[in-house]
Amino acid sequence: IGPDEHLFIVAESEVTTFLAELDSALAGLPHSLVDVSHRQVSLELRGANAEWLLGAVCPLPLDVEVFPVDACTRTVFAKAEIVVWRTGLDAFRVEVARSYCRYVVDLLGEVARELPA
């Protein structure tokens, strides 16, 4: 998600093993591994309007030509910092701090009201 920052998404049951193996693989190299598993919540948006829903209050251009499948970056959703990962043509994974999750979900609901029935 940045030139010197990576976000690994690992099943909860595999976190301890993953961190130990990664720490071993990076032995001798300067690095810092931090488990932020309980800091954030993952949301998944799918469907024909997913890009529109996110783009309504996200300043990042999200059309597939500019933000292709597998692109991932840190940005904002209105006032909340998020990590957005395009997992498919009409699918996104959004990582948000727990303290902002309700805000993001409620705002997505407000934005969705603008969609035609």
Side-chain angles (χ1 to χ4, degrees), residues 87-107:
T87 58
L89 288 175
D90 60 357
F92 296 86
R93 182 175 180 144
V94 175
E95 299 287 326
V96 60
R98 283 186 187 283
S99 58
Y100 285 100
C101 185
R102 178 85 277 146
Y103 169 78
V104 169
V105 168
D106 288 349
L107 187 52

mmCIF file of all heavy atoms in Angstrom, residues 87-107:
data_model
loop_
_atom_site.group_PDB
_atom_site.id
_atom_site.type_symbol
_atom_site.label_atom_id
_atom_site.label_comp_id
_atom_site.label_asym_id
_atom_site.label_seq_id
_atom_site.Cartn_x
_atom_site.Cartn_y
_atom_site.Cartn_z
ATOM 1 N N THR A 87 -10.924 -6.041 -5.984
ATOM 2 C CA THR A 87 -10.764 -7.495 -6.073
ATOM 3 C C THR A 87 -11.422 -8.094 -7.310
ATOM 4 O O THR A 87 -11.243 -9.273 -7.592
ATOM 5 C CB THR A 87 -11.341 -8.170 -4.814
ATOM 6 O OG1 THR A 87 -12.721 -7.801 -4.685
ATOM 7 C CG2 THR A 87 -10.564 -7.763 -3.569
ATOM 8 N N GLY A 88 -12.171 -7.301 -8.044
ATOM 9 C CA GLY A 88 -12.834 -7.750 -9.268
ATOM 10 C C GLY A 88 -13.319 -6.547 -10.045
ATOM 11 O O GLY A 88 -13.202 -5.411 -9.586
ATOM 12 N N LEU A 89 -13.878 -6.792 -11.225
ATOM 13 C CA LEU A 89 -14.364 -5.674 -12.032
ATOM 14 C C LEU A 89 -15.397 -4.846 -11.282
ATOM 15 O O LEU A 89 -15.414 -3.623 -11.392
ATOM 16 C CB LEU A 89 -14.951 -6.176 -13.354
ATOM 17 C CG LEU A 89 -13.931 -6.686 -14.364
ATOM 18 C CD1 LEU A 89 -14.631 -7.262 -15.592
ATOM 19 C CD2 LEU A 89 -12.966 -5.575 -14.762
ATOM 20 N N ASP A 90 -16.249 -5.500 -10.516
ATOM 21 C CA ASP A 90 -17.253 -4.771 -9.738
ATOM 22 C C ASP A 90 -17.241 -5.218 -8.275
ATOM 23 O O ASP A 90 -18.274 -5.390 -7.647
ATOM 24 C CB ASP A 90 -18.635 -4.932 -10.356
ATOM 25 C CG ASP A 90 -19.103 -6.381 -10.432
ATOM 26 O OD1 ASP A 90 -18.322 -7.273 -10.059
ATOM 27 O OD2 ASP A 90 -20.247 -6.612 -10.854
ATOM 28 N N ALA A 91 -16.028 -5.383 -7.746
ATOM 29 C CA ALA A 91 -15.889 -5.825 -6.352
ATOM 30 C C ALA A 91 -14.703 -5.121 -5.695
ATOM 31 O O ALA A 91 -13.647 -4.966 -6.297
ATOM 32 C CB ALA A 91 -15.694 -7.333 -6.293
ATOM 33 N N PHE A 92 -14.920 -4.689 -4.452
ATOM 34 C CA PHE A 92 -13.898 -3.992 -3.681
ATOM 35 C C PHE A 92 -13.877 -4.537 -2.264
ATOM 36 O O PHE A 92 -14.914 -4.901 -1.717
ATOM 37 C CB PHE A 92 -14.197 -2.489 -3.602
ATOM 38 C CG PHE A 92 -14.167 -1.793 -4.921
ATOM 39 C CD1 PHE A 92 -15.283 -1.761 -5.734
ATOM 40 C CD2 PHE A 92 -13.010 -1.154 -5.349
ATOM 41 C CE1 PHE A 92 -15.265 -1.113 -6.956
ATOM 42 C CE2 PHE A 92 -12.982 -0.505 -6.573
ATOM 43 C CZ PHE A 92 -14.109 -0.489 -7.375
ATOM 44 N N ARG A 93 -12.697 -4.560 -1.690
ATOM 45 C CA ARG A 93 -12.544 -4.848 -0.267
ATOM 46 C C ARG A 93 -12.083 -3.545 0.366
ATOM 47 O O ARG A 93 -11.145 -2.908 -0.127
ATOM 48 C CB ARG A 93 -11.509 -5.947 -0.040
ATOM 49 C CG ARG A 93 -11.354 -6.299 1.420
ATOM 50 C CD ARG A 93 -10.412 -7.462 1.589
ATOM 51 N NE ARG A 93 -10.281 -7.788 2.988
ATOM 52 C CZ ARG A 93 -10.146 -9.009 3.439
ATOM 53 N NH1 ARG A 93 -10.116 -10.029 2.608
ATOM 54 N NH2 ARG A 93 -10.007 -9.232 4.728
ATOM 55 N N VAL A 94 -12.742 -3.159 1.442
ATOM 56 C CA VAL A 94 -12.422 -1.916 2.134
ATOM 57 C C VAL A 94 -11.998 -2.271 3.553
ATOM 58 O O VAL A 94 -12.729 -2.943 4.277
ATOM 59 C CB VAL A 94 -13.638 -0.959 2.161
ATOM 60 C CG1 VAL A 94 -13.340 0.279 2.987
ATOM 61 C CG2 VAL A 94 -14.051 -0.583 0.739
ATOM 62 N N GLU A 95 -10.819 -1.837 3.928
ATOM 63 C CA GLU A 95 -10.317 -2.017 5.299
ATOM 64 C C GLU A 95 -10.468 -0.679 6.004
ATOM 65 O O GLU A 95 -9.997 0.350 5.510
ATOM 66 C CB GLU A 95 -8.840 -2.425 5.280
ATOM 67 C CG GLU A 95 -8.555 -3.741 4.573
ATOM 68 C CD GLU A 95 -9.011 -4.942 5.372
ATOM 69 O OE1 GLU A 95 -8.942 -4.913 6.614
ATOM 70 O OE2 GLU A 95 -9.453 -5.916 4.737
ATOM 71 N N VAL A 96 -11.130 -0.685 7.146
ATOM 72 C CA VAL A 96 -11.394 0.553 7.877
ATOM 73 C C VAL A 96 -11.171 0.305 9.372
ATOM 74 O O VAL A 96 -11.447 -0.786 9.871
ATOM 75 C CB VAL A 96 -12.834 1.073 7.589
ATOM 76 C CG1 VAL A 96 -13.878 0.070 8.002
ATOM 77 C CG2 VAL A 96 -13.072 2.424 8.234
ATOM 78 N N ALA A 97 -10.671 1.319 10.057
ATOM 79 C CA ALA A 97 -10.475 1.207 11.506
ATOM 80 C C ALA A 97 -11.820 0.944 12.175
ATOM 81 O O ALA A 97 -12.850 1.499 11.774
ATOM 82 C CB ALA A 97 -9.858 2.489 12.054
ATOM 83 N N ARG A 98 -11.815 0.081 13.178
ATOM 84 C CA ARG A 98 -13.053 -0.271 13.879
ATOM 85 C C ARG A 98 -13.830 0.962 14.330
ATOM 86 O O ARG A 98 -15.054 1.002 14.257
ATOM 87 C CB ARG A 98 -12.748 -1.123 15.111
ATOM 88 C CG ARG A 98 -12.441 -2.528 14.801
ATOM 89 C CD ARG A 98 -12.277 -3.364 16.085
ATOM 90 N NE ARG A 98 -11.810 -4.672 15.728
ATOM 91 C CZ ARG A 98 -12.572 -5.632 15.223
ATOM 92 N NH1 ARG A 98 -13.850 -5.419 15.031
ATOM 93 N NH2 ARG A 98 -12.066 -6.798 14.908
ATOM 94 N N SER A 99 -13.115 1.963 14.798
ATOM 95 C CA SER A 99 -13.789 3.146 15.320
ATOM 96 C C SER A 99 -14.519 3.937 14.234
ATOM 97 O O SER A 99 -15.392 4.739 14.543
ATOM 98 C CB SER A 99 -12.790 4.051 16.047
ATOM 99 O OG SER A 99 -11.746 4.425 15.175
ATOM 100 N N TYR A 100 -14.190 3.710 12.961
ATOM 101 C CA TYR A 100 -14.860 4.403 11.861
ATOM 102 C C TYR A 100 -15.821 3.500 11.088
ATOM 103 O O TYR A 100 -16.486 3.963 10.162
ATOM 104 C CB TYR A 100 -13.835 4.976 10.873
ATOM 105 C CG TYR A 100 -13.146 6.202 11.400
ATOM 106 C CD1 TYR A 100 -11.873 6.126 11.947
ATOM 107 C CD2 TYR A 100 -13.775 7.442 11.353
ATOM 108 C CE1 TYR A 100 -11.244 7.256 12.439
ATOM 109 C CE2 TYR A 100 -13.147 8.575 11.836
ATOM 110 C CZ TYR A 100 -11.881 8.470 12.380
ATOM 111 O OH TYR A 100 -11.260 9.586 12.865
ATOM 112 N N CYS A 101 -15.913 2.255 11.437
ATOM 113 C CA CYS A 101 -16.723 1.301 10.680
ATOM 114 C C CYS A 101 -18.192 1.722 10.610
ATOM 115 O O CYS A 101 -18.794 1.739 9.535
ATOM 116 C CB CYS A 101 -16.592 -0.094 11.269
ATOM 117 S SG CYS A 101 -17.447 -1.337 10.278
ATOM 118 N N ARG A 102 -18.791 2.047 11.734
ATOM 119 C CA ARG A 102 -20.205 2.444 11.746
ATOM 120 C C ARG A 102 -20.430 3.667 10.852
ATOM 121 O O ARG A 102 -21.393 3.750 10.107
ATOM 122 C CB ARG A 102 -20.642 2.732 13.180
ATOM 123 C CG ARG A 102 -22.057 3.204 13.324
ATOM 124 C CD ARG A 102 -23.104 2.072 13.394
ATOM 125 N NE ARG A 102 -23.482 1.585 12.088
ATOM 126 C CZ ARG A 102 -23.795 0.329 11.798
ATOM 127 N NH1 ARG A 102 -23.751 -0.603 12.710
ATOM 128 N NH2 ARG A 102 -24.140 -0.041 10.601
ATOM 129 N N TYR A 103 -19.515 4.619 10.936
ATOM 130 C CA TYR A 103 -19.587 5.831 10.103
ATOM 131 C C TYR A 103 -19.576 5.461 8.623
ATOM 132 O O TYR A 103 -20.402 5.945 7.846
ATOM 133 C CB TYR A 103 -18.413 6.754 10.460
ATOM 134 C CG TYR A 103 -18.207 7.912 9.516
ATOM 135 C CD1 TYR A 103 -19.025 9.039 9.595
ATOM 136 C CD2 TYR A 103 -17.198 7.883 8.567
ATOM 137 C CE1 TYR A 103 -18.828 10.108 8.733
ATOM 138 C CE2 TYR A 103 -16.998 8.954 7.703
ATOM 139 C CZ TYR A 103 -17.813 10.068 7.794
ATOM 140 O OH TYR A 103 -17.620 11.124 6.945
ATOM 141 N N VAL A 104 -18.649 4.603 8.207
ATOM 142 C CA VAL A 104 -18.530 4.209 6.803
ATOM 143 C C VAL A 104 -19.771 3.441 6.357
ATOM 144 O O VAL A 104 -20.338 3.715 5.286
ATOM 145 C CB VAL A 104 -17.236 3.394 6.561
ATOM 146 C CG1 VAL A 104 -17.237 2.763 5.179
ATOM 147 C CG2 VAL A 104 -16.011 4.285 6.745
ATOM 148 N N VAL A 105 -20.233 2.499 7.157
ATOM 149 C CA VAL A 105 -21.413 1.717 6.803
ATOM 150 C C VAL A 105 -22.644 2.624 6.694
ATOM 151 O O VAL A 105 -23.424 2.523 5.734
ATOM 152 C CB VAL A 105 -21.641 0.571 7.814
ATOM 153 C CG1 VAL A 105 -23.009 -0.076 7.637
ATOM 154 C CG2 VAL A 105 -20.534 -0.464 7.686
ATOM 155 N N ASP A 106 -22.821 3.522 7.651
ATOM 156 C CA ASP A 106 -23.962 4.431 7.603
ATOM 157 C C ASP A 106 -23.890 5.350 6.382
ATOM 158 O O ASP A 106 -24.902 5.603 5.727
ATOM 159 C CB ASP A 106 -24.051 5.268 8.875
ATOM 160 C CG ASP A 106 -24.498 4.461 10.087
ATOM 161 O OD1 ASP A 106 -24.944 3.309 9.918
ATOM 162 O OD2 ASP A 106 -24.385 4.990 11.210
ATOM 163 N N LEU A 107 -22.701 5.843 6.076
ATOM 164 C CA LEU A 107 -22.545 6.722 4.922
ATOM 165 C C LEU A 107 -22.792 5.960 3.619
ATOM 166 O O LEU A 107 -23.421 6.488 2.695
ATOM 167 C CB LEU A 107 -21.158 7.368 4.924
ATOM 168 C CG LEU A 107 -20.904 8.438 3.872
ATOM 169 C CD1 LEU A 107 -21.984 9.517 3.890
ATOM 170 C CD2 LEU A 107 -19.529 9.053 4.089
#
